[in-house]
């Protein structure tokens, strides 16, 4: 039989600009086989092989000549072979399959007899790819060569457009901090207890993964469990030859620069990371891979307070001018001494992290494969809960703690070919993450674990400690892909059982919030008049252990259809339903605490259109909706908000039963002062949030090695989680605030405020939070991407995003980490402004240059002249948004001053209108302040040393923020203080006060050396 050799020019198949249709955990090949007359050729035998992986898949084309192979592990070395009686054999070699990509081919088989000769290669263009999403694939080459701080997978995610990493380590997509989904080989592998958290999946190391696929918007119907982004990784597999690497990375403070907010502080810091990975064949048809890594880190941080209402400009000491009458001199002296004892304290911290991953793949027969893998991590960090190197908000002592994080993950899957044109995969996974955090008694002040804040700055214990959070999840899924006629169909179903067990009583040791140093000084010492100058006092009681078990059902279907040679249509739907158990207790006063609504209408339509103008240009349109999961911390608040198994109280200074600092209630208290207990329950039509996303892209291969894509993106957040205090009566007065200038003289400007002075349901409760979905967000963006695949030793990728993110949920967290405070109770419309994750400009360039200086093979050529690699990541980005705040000093209109007649008593004294909500400045825009812009270059210089044909060494020097362009990650947000109806400006508004960076607590330059031995 005659053989036609096809050499495929796979321009940008593995590039982020390739825009393929996502396949969770795999890559895919699809196409149509035609005869010379243009008709589809049915019953063509299709064989895909990869000897390196021991992989083989057989199938036949449909009546329309369509084939779809959707279970291809990412990697190089694939061969596609097509045979049909009476036609020439088609052979396509050296294919590389990339995670999340579907390569689409149009192939014509010549009729026999025909002279055996090589035919022109069927060129593969980006225009042929099946894709309707905005996504990026980080290839194996990029993972191996790019400089990655802490060797975290998270650090590679912001290479994608419409994605960013906040200084806290939280990854945000499309300008909103939704819960993201991390998929490891197709199944969920991240903790969903926290609404937002730093570190997606720290148990998966960089050396354990082969490909990284980031979906920023409009993912396919298979993707669920997130309204944010999807991070999809494939782990390494064993091959037909033994291979591996041993490596070590080392850093010390001598390589690093000092933090800009304390240039004289040089911590004793060291980092050692070392590990080994290996893989190969075991017995016949069985392949294995293993990766193990150890990280040891020691460092120090210095505790400062730069809050302008407490400390001096450097944050090294309390400014005595901040403590004034009515506090006495002795009271001020005692309070200042208490805080000064916490300043300039150097706090040592350390981390030991052990991670491991193992995988087995068994090739039972062509198209039938069994895979099992397991991963584990144990991390322990004394004094590491707060990772700031220079803590300018006083968080390194009482607010700090020692954490332990233990993660276990196991997965098994079986892939089969039930019919000639179908692939079915059954997956099962188990995930367990246990996180504990405890205070260190040596770091606590003389007041012990009692929580104390002054104008938002903590100077006491952390009210969240101690805490233990354990999440356990079982996931079962079935995925079927089949080609029927001219359609490529995908179906799937899943079942998830999730269990969140927590052991925590928030503020069990009590917490006092003070508006000023003066107010604290009045209560701290010499309080012979039993004054109560605090804003509020909070304490928690009850059973610390809470166990929340939920079940989730899901299903999806998708059809990719090419009715015309140049036109591809995509349609699909994803459905999810969460089953909630009834709470163990129901408040007799609030029947709403007896159940949590579960909707059955979480249907997410997905659609896409792609049209090829020619072989190099394609236009794509994608649309989809995506539902956010119910975070574990939000569900815990709903299950304990009845006030029975756990109780939370809030007491005001003028309220009966209040406390005198530092007294607290007995922790076993079961009867509470009237009007002090808080309640949380869901709206009877409570639903989860979702986003609606749309993308429009045009992409063109401008050269053999280069592709350019321009996209526009819109995303709308709907029903974002919110709360409304049902225990506030409508405002019943209007008062006038006088606005002074910096010298204390009236400016002639005034603020008229509606005032809240009474509770709505009597005096039996304090806050009664109804959890709703009244929030909204909008995101508009334009994206430009350029990808030059590795050619002549140079590969470059560019992603630029201009965007504007707006929401009305930027206030401080109130309930369950997912709901925020408002200025006007329950009215989120007035809080609309720039999102905290709004980053107008973000440009990221990454490159790898491996020049060939000479073609010689002498020792000088191999060990000196050749084998150099220079790679890097440059990020140029705008700052993030923050909102100006007001610090309210007690009752404002309790006397006849400032046109206050008749006098009123504000219900709460932490906000201008007495509502107890967000203390933002109501006449300034939300998000009107900006943190510093980022101009950061991470670089690596590596030298490859070819010891033998099988063994080579790689010496590396890496520098992160190599040019030491440090930037402010937070600013002073205190704009005014309010005292007796007068607003006075606070100096330094908008000035930078920290240069944090995750995970080392600073964005100052860091450098490290490394050695890898590869075989």
């Amino acid at each position: 039989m005659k053989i036609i050799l096809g050499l495929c020019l796979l321009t940008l198949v593995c590039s982020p600009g390739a825009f393929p249709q996502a396949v969770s955990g795999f890559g895919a090949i699809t196409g149509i086989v035609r005869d010379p007359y243009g008709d589809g050729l049915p019953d063509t035998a299709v064989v895909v092989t990869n000897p390196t992986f021991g992989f083989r898949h057989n199938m036949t084309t449909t009546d329309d000549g369509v084939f779809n192979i959707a279970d291809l592990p990412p990697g190089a070395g694939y061969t596609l072979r097509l045979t049909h009686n009476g036609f020439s054999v088609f052979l396509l070699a050296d294919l590389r399959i990339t995670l999340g990509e579907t390569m689409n081919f149009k192939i014509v088989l010549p009729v026999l007899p025909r002279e055996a000769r090589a035919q022109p290669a069927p060129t593969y263009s980006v225009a042929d790819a099946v894709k309707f999403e905005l996504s990026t694939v980080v290839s194996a080459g990029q993972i191996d060569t790019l400089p990655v701080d802490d060797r975290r997978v998270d650090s590679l995610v912001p290479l994608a457009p419409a994605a960013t990493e906040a200084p806290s380590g939280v990854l945000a997509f499309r300008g909103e901090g939704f819960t993201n989904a991390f998929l490891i080989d197709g199944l969920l592998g991240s903790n969903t207890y926290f609404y937002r958290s730093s570190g997606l999946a720290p148990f998966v190391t960089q050396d354990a993964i082969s490909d990284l696929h980031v979906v920023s918007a409009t993912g396919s119907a298979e993707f669920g469990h997130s309204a944010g982004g999807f991070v999809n990784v494939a782990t390494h597999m064993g091959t037909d030859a033994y291979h591996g690497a041993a490596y070590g990375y080392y850093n010390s403070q001598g390589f690093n620069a000092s933090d800009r907010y304390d240039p004289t502080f040089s911590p004793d810091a060291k980092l050692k990371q070392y590990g080994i990975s290996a893989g190969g064949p075991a017995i016949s048809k069985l392949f294995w891979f293993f990766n193990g890594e150890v990280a040891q880190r020691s460092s120090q941080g210095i505790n400062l307070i730069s809050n302008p209402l407490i400390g001096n400009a450097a944050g090294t000491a309390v400014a005595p001018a901040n403590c004034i009458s009515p506090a006495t001199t002795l009271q001020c002296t005692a309070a200042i001494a208490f805080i000064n004892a916490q300043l300039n304290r150097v706090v040592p911290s350390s981390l030991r992290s052990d991670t491991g991953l193992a995988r087995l793949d068994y090739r039972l027969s062509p198209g039938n494969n069994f895979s099992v893998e397991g991963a584990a991590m144990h991390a322990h960090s004394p004094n590491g809960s707060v990772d700031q190197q220079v803590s300018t908000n006083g968080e390194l002592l009482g607010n700090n703690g020692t954490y332990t994080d233990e993660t276990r993950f196991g997965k098994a899957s079986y892939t089969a070919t039930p019919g000639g044109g179908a692939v079915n995969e059954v997956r099962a996974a188990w995930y367990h993450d246990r996180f504990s955090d405890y205070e260190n008694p040596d770091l606590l002040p003389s007041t012990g674990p009692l929580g104390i804040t002054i104008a938002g700055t903590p100077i006491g214990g952390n009210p969240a400690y101690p805490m233990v959070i354990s999440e356990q999840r079982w996931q079962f899924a079935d995925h079927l892909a089949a080609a029927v006629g001219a359609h490529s169909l995908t179906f799937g179903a899943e079942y998830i059982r999730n269990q969140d067990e927590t052991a925590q009583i928030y503020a069990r040791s009590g917490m006092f919030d003070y508006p000023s140093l003066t107010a604290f000084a009045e209560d701290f010492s010499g309080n012979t008049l039993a004054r109560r100058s605090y804003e509020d006092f909070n304490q928690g009681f009850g059973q610390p252990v809470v166990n929340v078990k939920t079940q989730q059902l899901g299903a999806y279907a998708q059809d990719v259809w090419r009715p015309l040679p140049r036109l591809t249509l995509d349609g699909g739907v994803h459905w999810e339903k969460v089953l909630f158990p009834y709470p163990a207790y129901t408040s007799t006063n609030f029947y709403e605490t007896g159940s949590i609504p579960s909707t059955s209408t979480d249907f997410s339509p997905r659609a896409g259109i792609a049209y090829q103008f020619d072989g190099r240009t394609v236009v794509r349109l994608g649309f989809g909706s995506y539902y956010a999961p119910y975070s574990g911390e939000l569900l815990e608040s709903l299950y304990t908000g009845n006030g029975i198994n756990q109780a939370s109280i809030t007491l005001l200074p003028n309220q009966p039963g209040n406390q005198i600092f530092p007294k607290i209630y007995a922790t076993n208290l079961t009867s509470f002062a009237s009007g002090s207990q808080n309640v949380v329950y869901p709206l009877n039509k409570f639903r989860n949030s979702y986003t609606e996303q749309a993308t429009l892209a045009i992409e063109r291969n401008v050269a053999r090695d280069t592709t350019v894509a321009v996209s526009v993106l819109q995303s709308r957040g709907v029903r974002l989680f919110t709360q409304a205090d049902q225990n506030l009566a409508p405002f019943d007065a209007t008062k006038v605030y006088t606005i002074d200038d910096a010298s204390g003289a009236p400016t002639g400007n005034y603020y008229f405020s509606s005032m809240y002075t009474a509770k709505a349901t009597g005096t039996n409760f304090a806050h009664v939070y109804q959890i709703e979905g009244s929030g909204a967000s909008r995101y508009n963006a334009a994206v430009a991407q350029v990808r030059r695949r590795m050619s002549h030793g140079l590969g470059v990728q560019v992603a630029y995003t201009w965007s504007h993110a707006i929401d009305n949920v930027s206030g401080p967290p109130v309930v369950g980490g997912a709901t925020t405070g408002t200025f006007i109770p329950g009215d989120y419309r007035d809080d609309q402004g720039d999102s905290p994750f709004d980053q107008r400009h973000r440009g990221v360039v990454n490159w790898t240059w491996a020049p060939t200086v000479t073609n010689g093979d002498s020792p000088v050529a191999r060990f000196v002249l050749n084998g150099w690699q220079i790679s890097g990541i440059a990020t140029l980005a705008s700052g993030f948004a923050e909102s100006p705040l007001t610090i309210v000093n007690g009752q404002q209109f309790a006397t006849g001053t400032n046109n206050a007649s008749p006098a009123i008593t504000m219900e709460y004294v932490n906000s201008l209108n007495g509502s107890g909500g967000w203390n933002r400045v109501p006449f300034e825009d939300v998000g009107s302040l900006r943190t510093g812009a980022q101009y950061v270059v991470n670089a690596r210089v590596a030298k490859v040393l070819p010891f033998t044909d099988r063994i080579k060494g790689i010496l590396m020097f890496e520098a992160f923020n190599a040019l030491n362009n440090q930037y402010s990650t937070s600013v002073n947000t205190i704009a005014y203080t309010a005292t007796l109806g007068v607003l006075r400006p606070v100096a330094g508004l908008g000035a930078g006060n920290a240069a944090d960076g995750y995970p080392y607590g600073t964005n100052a330059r860091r450098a490290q050396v490394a050695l890898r031995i590869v075989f």
Side-chain angles (χ1 to χ4, degrees), residues 1 41-45 61 82-89 109 112:
M1 184 174 291
L41 199 58
D43 299 323
T44 302
T61 59
L82 306 177
T83 58
H84 193 287
N85 289 336
F87 293 85
S88 298
V89 173
L109 290 187
L112 288 176

Side-chain angles (χ1 to χ4, degrees), residues 70-94:
D71 64 334
L72 304 179
Y78 279 90
T79 298
L80 172 66
R81 179 185 175 95
L82 306 177
T83 58
H84 193 287
N85 289 336
F87 293 85
S88 298
V89 173
F90 179 85
L91 187 65
L92 195 59
D94 297 327

Side-chain angles (χ1 to χ4, degrees), residues 832-844:
Q832 180 170 294
D834 292 344
S835 163
F837 297 99
D838 177 45
Q839 195 170 50
R840 297 295 174 86
H841 301 276
R842 181 175 181 83
V844 182

Side-chain angles (χ1 to χ4, degrees), residues 685-912:
K685 293 184 178 181
F686 178 58
R687 301 290 185 268
N688 50 333
S689 311
Y690 68 94
T691 58
E692 295 175 336
Q693 306 167 21
T695 57
L696 174 63
I698 182 168
E699 185 173 13
R700 181 173 176 83
N701 280 11
V702 296
R704 176 180 175 182
D705 304 319
T706 306
T707 185
V708 175
V710 177
S711 311
V712 291
L713 163 64
Q714 185 175 74
S715 179
R716 186 170 75 99
V718 183
R719 289 200 316 239
L720 306 190
F721 295 132
T722 58
Q723 56 76 30
D725 192 346
Q726 303 297 301
N727 204 28
L728 273 177
F731 70 89
D732 55 6
T734 300
K735 296 298 177 182
V736 181
Y737 282 93
T738 300
I739 302 176
D740 283 0
D741 60 20
S743 66
T747 62
N749 297 318
Y750 303 90
Y751 173 67
F752 292 79
S753 177
S754 301
M755 306 301 293
Y756 296 84
T757 64
K759 291 184 170 67
T761 59
T763 59
N764 293 330
F765 295 90
H767 297 290
V768 178
Y769 293 118
Q770 178 174 271
I771 306 304
E772 304 173 343
S774 302
S777 67
R778 296 199 310 273
Y779 178 83
N780 296 295
V783 174
Q785 294 172 272
V786 180
R787 170 74 183 217
R788 184 186 189 277
R789 72 180 179 92
M790 183 64 74
S791 178
H792 303 291
L794 178 65
V796 180
Q797 174 187 328
V798 181
Y800 168 74
T801 304
W802 174 91
S803 63
H804 190 192
I806 297 173
D807 67 29
N808 56 15
V809 289
S810 298
V814 175
V815 177
T819 66
T820 57
T822 58
F823 181 75
I824 299 175
D827 187 353
Y828 283 78
R829 295 169 299 178
D830 196 54
D831 293 331
Q832 180 170 294
D834 292 344
S835 163
F837 297 99
D838 177 45
Q839 195 170 50
R840 297 295 174 86
H841 301 276
R842 181 175 181 83
V844 182
V845 181
N846 71 81
W847 71 91
T848 300
W849 184 37
T852 300
V853 178
T854 177
N855 293 322
D857 194 39
S858 66
V860 173
R862 289 186 293 117
F863 288 93
V864 179
L865 299 178
N866 292 334
W868 290 94
Q869 291 180 347
I870 301 174
S871 59
I873 303 173
T875 303
L876 292 82
S878 305
F880 294 103
E882 296 193 13
S883 298
L885 306 177
T886 300
I887 301 299
V888 182
N889 290 307
Q891 292 290 340
Q892 298 295 300
F893 303 101
T895 66
T897 61
N898 193 29
N899 300 317
S901 299
I904 63 169
T905 300
M906 300 161 62
E907 185 60 30
Y908 297 96
V909 292
N910 66 318
S911 58
L912 288 178

